[in-house]
Amino acid sequence: MIARVRGRIVSVDPRCIVDVGGVGLELAIPEKDRETLKPVEGETTFHTHLVVREDSLNLFGFLHREDRDLFLRLISVSGVGPKIALAALSTYPAARVASAIRGGDSTFLSKIQGIGKKTAERIVVDLAGKMDDFLTGAPEPLPATSGVRDEVVLALTTLGMTRNAAEGVLDRMEWNDEDSAEELVRRALKYTGSA
């Protein structure tokens, strides 16, 4: 197994390529990590997991060990493959996903791309008692669901943003249910630099 990779980032988009001793390794990384990375002269460390299939070798990399550890737990659940586990960690930090699992919030989990209601419930049943090491402090607040939030997410996805990215922007912005959907869409686009 390849548990850790340290090297110089050559490219981030569309694929993350890390130069390790003259060898370029391609890593599948969460979108939230991709947004913070850029090619640099110094070295960056990734916590990794190698997925071996009959026809491929895929290396998944994470900037934070907690993300990799939760990734490993998620792929241990029947019906959850590496791509779905990576999608879960692409927008939300490991502590937020772990908090949802521990709290039995299958509705939150089913909003993640590739996770349906039954898979979300299976994740909760299989992993709810195994999340304590991810929740060292107070559990992270889960995003409130509201009509305004759903309206804004729908508008942002219509404008070309992925659902996970739209949810992530709303999680990082300060807003409340009294704000209008139109104002929130404008602010979200400004926040992402798209306006």
Side-chain angles (χ1 to χ4, degrees), residues 10-193:
V10 177
S11 99
V12 177
D13 200 24
R15 296 171 297 179
C16 180
I17 308 291
V18 180
D19 184 333
V20 180
V23 176
L25 297 177
E26 181 180 336
L27 279 75
I29 62 173
E31 287 301 315
K32 69 177 170 28
D33 289 351
R34 185 182 314 281
E35 293 169 3
T36 63
L37 292 173
K38 53 186 151 195
V40 292
E41 288 303 313
E43 293 187 334
T44 302
T45 300
F46 290 91
H47 302 277
T48 61
H49 177 69
L50 179 65
V51 175
V52 179
R53 300 274 189 247
E54 187 175 304
D55 59 344
S56 67
L57 298 172
N58 296 307
L59 191 59
F60 292 84
F62 306 90
L63 291 176
H64 306 286
R65 184 177 329 177
E66 297 81 20
D67 287 349
R68 194 255 334 255
D69 293 346
L70 184 56
F71 173 84
L72 292 173
R73 297 230 178 117
L74 286 170
I75 63 175
S76 73
V77 175
S78 175
V80 179
K83 288 183 181 177
I84 291 174
L86 190 65
L89 295 166
S90 282
T91 302
Y92 303 107
R96 164 96 28 105
V97 176
S99 182
I101 293 169
R102 184 176 182 200
D105 191 352
S106 58
T107 303
F108 172 81
L109 295 171
S110 65
K111 291 180 182 176
I112 296 169
Q113 184 179 359
I115 298 180
K117 183 180 178 189
K118 287 183 181 181
T119 303
E121 289 169 356
R122 189 176 315 120
I123 291 170
V124 168
V125 168
D126 288 359
L127 299 180
K130 301 175 183 175
M131 294 292 113
D132 290 342
D133 48 336
F134 292 100
L135 304 171
T136 54
E140 287 203 24
L142 296 174
T145 57
S146 70
V148 173
R149 180 185 182 89
D150 293 340
E151 220 177 305
V152 173
V153 169
L154 178 62
L156 292 173
T157 54
T158 303
L159 292 170
M161 200 178 280
T162 66
R163 181 174 182 86
N164 283 342
E167 296 266 355
V169 168
L170 287 175
D171 288 340
R172 293 187 296 268
M173 282 177 35
E174 289 186 32
W175 65 279
N176 60 51
D177 286 338
E178 293 159 11
D179 294 327
S180 73
E182 295 82 17
E183 177 60 25
L184 285 174
V185 169
R186 256 193 301 284
R187 286 178 38 210
L189 291 172
K190 224 178 235 182
Y191 185 87
T192 61

